[in-house]
Amino acid sequence: MLTMTIESSCDETSVAVVRDGREVLANAVASQIPIHQRYGGVVPELASRNHIRNIHAVVDDALAEADVDLEDIDGYGVTVGPGLVGSLLVGIETAKGFAYAFDKPCVGLNHLEAHLTTVLLELEDVPTPEFPYVGLVVSGGHTDLYVVEGLGEYTLLGRTRDDAAGEAFDKVAKMLGLPYPGGVAIDRLARGGDPARHAFPRPMLNRDNLDFSFSGLKTAVLRHVEQQGVPEEQPLADLCASFQEAVVDVLIEKSLRACRQQGIDRLVLSGGVACNHRLRHRARVECDQQDLTLFVAPPRLCTDNAAMFGPIAEEYLKRKDADHFDAHALRARATMSIGDDSLRQTSSSHR
Ligand code: KG4
Ligand code: ZN
C-alpha cells in the first residue's frame, strides 16, 4: 500500500510517500525558517500563505523522489491538528482534493501521535521498538510522556504545566539575541560551553510525578540576563550550556522514572527537541547504564516532516471503521489531544 502524507501544521510544508507504513520512499520538506527568522518566530499569516505557494511543488518533489505518479497512491493521510488553523487548512484541502479526484480514502491525523510513532518507520541504524514503550514527545508545543501500547493506544503519564521544552529553548534564545529556531542556536553554542557554570533550577525534578515545568527556568535565565546583561563569546556559550543542561536533566530524569514506574525498558524520544545533541548523548549514556533500550529517529525525522505520519496513516486507512471522507474528521484543529476519538468514531459520512 502506498500512502501520501501531508504535513503543514506550522512552518514546514512537507509531503511524503511511504510504502506499507514503514518504508519511506520520499520525504520532501520545504522549510520556511528563512521567512520567519526575521520576525523571531512563526508568523501564522505568512506561514499559511507560503504553504499555498509551496505545496504543489513539494507534492511534485515527493512524487519524483519516490518515482511514482498520483495514480499510484492508495490513500492519503493529513495532519488535522494540533497546529495553526490557516496552515493546517492548506494541507487538508490538498489531501482532500487529491483523494476526491482519484477516488481514494483520506484520513485526518494527529501531529503529536505522528511524532510519538515515527520510530515505527524502517530506519537505518535504529531498530523498531516492540510495544509497549515509553515515549517522550518534546517539541515546540509539547512536552508529554506516554506509554504506547500499540497504534492508537496511548496513556498520558505526564506533561508540561506551562511552557514546552522547545518553547523554552526558543524564548531563551530570543532573550539572548539568537536566531529562530532558538533550540538549534542554543544547541550549537552550548557545545563549546560549560554546563556547570550556572546552577539554574531543575523545575519539578524532585516532585513525585511525571509532569514538567519550564517557565520558572526561563525566568531564571531572564533574571540573570537582566542583572548581568547578555554575555558574549565564552560566557554566552556557558550560559547556553547551563540552561540546556537544566532542561536535559529534567527530561532525562522524568523519562527514566517513567520507564521504572511502568516496568518498561524501551524509551523513545521524539519531536524537534530530540535533535538536541546533549539530550541524545545523555539519553544514550543513561539508558545504557540502566539497561534501557533507547530509540530515537535521525534528526531530519524528529523535526516536522510528513514521513513521520506513515505508520499511523497506514494503520488508520486500513481500519475498516475509518470514515474516510467525514467532513468533521477532516476539520483543522488548533488544539487536539492524542486520544481524540472524534477523528475515527464518527459514523455519518458527508462525502
Ligand atoms: O517538532 P518540531 O519541529 O515542531 C513542533 O511540533 O513544535 O519542534 C520544533 C522545536 C522548536 O522549539 C525548536 O527550537 C526545537 O524543536 N529544536 C531544538 C533543536 N532543534 C529543534 N531544540 C533543542 N535543540 C535542537 N537541536
Ligand atoms: Zn512537531
Side-chain angles (χ1 to χ4, degrees):
M1 177 166 176
L2 275 189
T3 56
M4 174 174 278
T5 47
I6 301 182
E7 148 68 26
S8 66
S9 66
C10 190
D11 61 341
E12 256 95 27
T13 320
S14 183
V15 178
V17 179
V18 179
R19 178 178 286 141
D20 299 331
R22 300 259 303 147
E23 190 190 347
V24 182
L25 302 186
N27 189 22
V29 183
S31 172
Q32 299 182 17
I33 287 176
I35 293 165
H36 300 283
Q37 211 157 39
R38 56 190 293 210
Y39 304 100
V42 177
V43 182
E45 191 56 38
L46 280 181
S48 48
R49 223 177 293 159
N50 281 285
H51 284 307
I52 294 172
R53 203 168 285 160
N54 293 340
I55 187 83
H56 287 287
V58 180
V59 169
D60 288 346
D61 285 352
L63 290 170
E65 193 184 329
D67 197 18
V68 298
D69 296 317
L70 276 173
E71 287 82 357
D72 302 323
I73 303 295
D74 300 304
Y76 294 82
V78 61
T79 325
V80 294
L84 302 169
V85 169
S87 290
L88 289 163
L89 282 173
V90 180
I92 293 172
E93 295 310 314
T94 306
K96 270 161 69 174
F98 288 144
Y100 201 73
F102 291 93
D103 196 21
K104 293 289 159 60
C106 179
V107 284
L109 301 171
N110 182 316
H111 183 96
L112 267 184
E113 187 178 359
H115 276 306
L116 195 57
T117 54
T118 309
V119 281
L120 300 174
L121 290 168
E122 221 166 67
L123 303 171
E124 217 176 297
D125 303 328
V126 185
T128 308
E130 284 173 24
F131 298 119
Y133 59 79
V134 168
L136 175 71
V137 185
V138 67
S139 68
H142 293 85
T143 305
D144 293 359
L145 263 173
Y146 293 92
V147 174
V148 179
E149 304 264 4
L151 285 176
E153 295 171 55
Y154 315 103
T155 307
L156 181 69
L157 301 175
R159 64 166 31 150
T160 184
R161 300 209 177 158
D162 40 58
D163 291 355
E167 192 180 353
F169 268 103
D170 294 340
K171 287 178 175 170
V172 165
K174 212 167 181 177
M175 282 176 216
L176 300 176
L178 301 174
Y180 174 85
V184 178
I186 289 181
D187 186 353
R188 196 172 46 236
L189 279 169
R191 275 189 249 183
D194 174 7
R197 177 71 185 77
H198 304 282
F200 287 124
R202 269 66 176 157
M204 312 281 284
L205 193 62
N206 298 319
R207 298 267 183 92
D208 187 25
N209 62 32
L210 296 169
D211 284 343
F212 303 89
S213 161
F214 293 104
S215 131
L217 170 60
K218 175 193 68 187
T219 309
V221 179
L222 178 64
R223 294 280 167 271
H224 178 90
V225 172
E226 279 172 354
Q227 284 160 14
Q228 318 214 0
V230 176
E232 289 177 9
E233 300 182 354
Q234 190 58 44
L236 176 61
D238 292 344
L239 187 61
C240 288
S242 300
F243 160 74
Q244 176 178 274
E245 199 69 6
V247 176
V248 168
D249 270 353
V250 182
L251 293 176
I252 300 266
E253 168 56 30
K254 296 265 167 150
S255 301
L256 299 187
R257 194 182 295 173
C259 290
R260 282 195 301 272
Q261 281 181 5
Q262 297 293 319
I264 295 172
D265 63 3
R266 289 170 291 275
L267 174 64
V268 170
L269 302 184
S270 65
V273 181
C275 295
N276 185 270
H277 288 79
R278 186 69 182 159
L279 177 63
R280 293 171 85 97
H281 171 75
R282 288 274 312 279
R284 229 174 284 129
V285 170
E286 305 219 8
C287 283
D288 269 359
Q289 282 171 356
Q290 304 205 14
D291 277 335
L292 302 174
T293 312
L294 176 71
F295 302 85
V296 51
R300 68 176 187 288
L301 292 170
C302 289
T303 49
D304 291 349
N305 69 91
M308 69 182 186
F309 292 84
I312 50 175
E314 165 91 7
E315 177 71 15
Y316 296 132
L317 283 166
K318 277 202 310 212
R319 287 190 190 176
K320 296 267 186 287
D321 62 348
D323 192 348
H324 300 318
F325 245 91
D326 186 274
H328 180 68
L330 288 170
R331 172 176 59 81
R333 295 150 163 87
T335 58
M336 182 180 188
S337 72
I338 206 161
D340 189 343
D341 287 339
S342 72
L343 272 188
R344 328 204 186 283
Q345 288 190 346
T346 44
S347 52
S348 62
S349 174
H350 300 276
R351 185 160 191 168

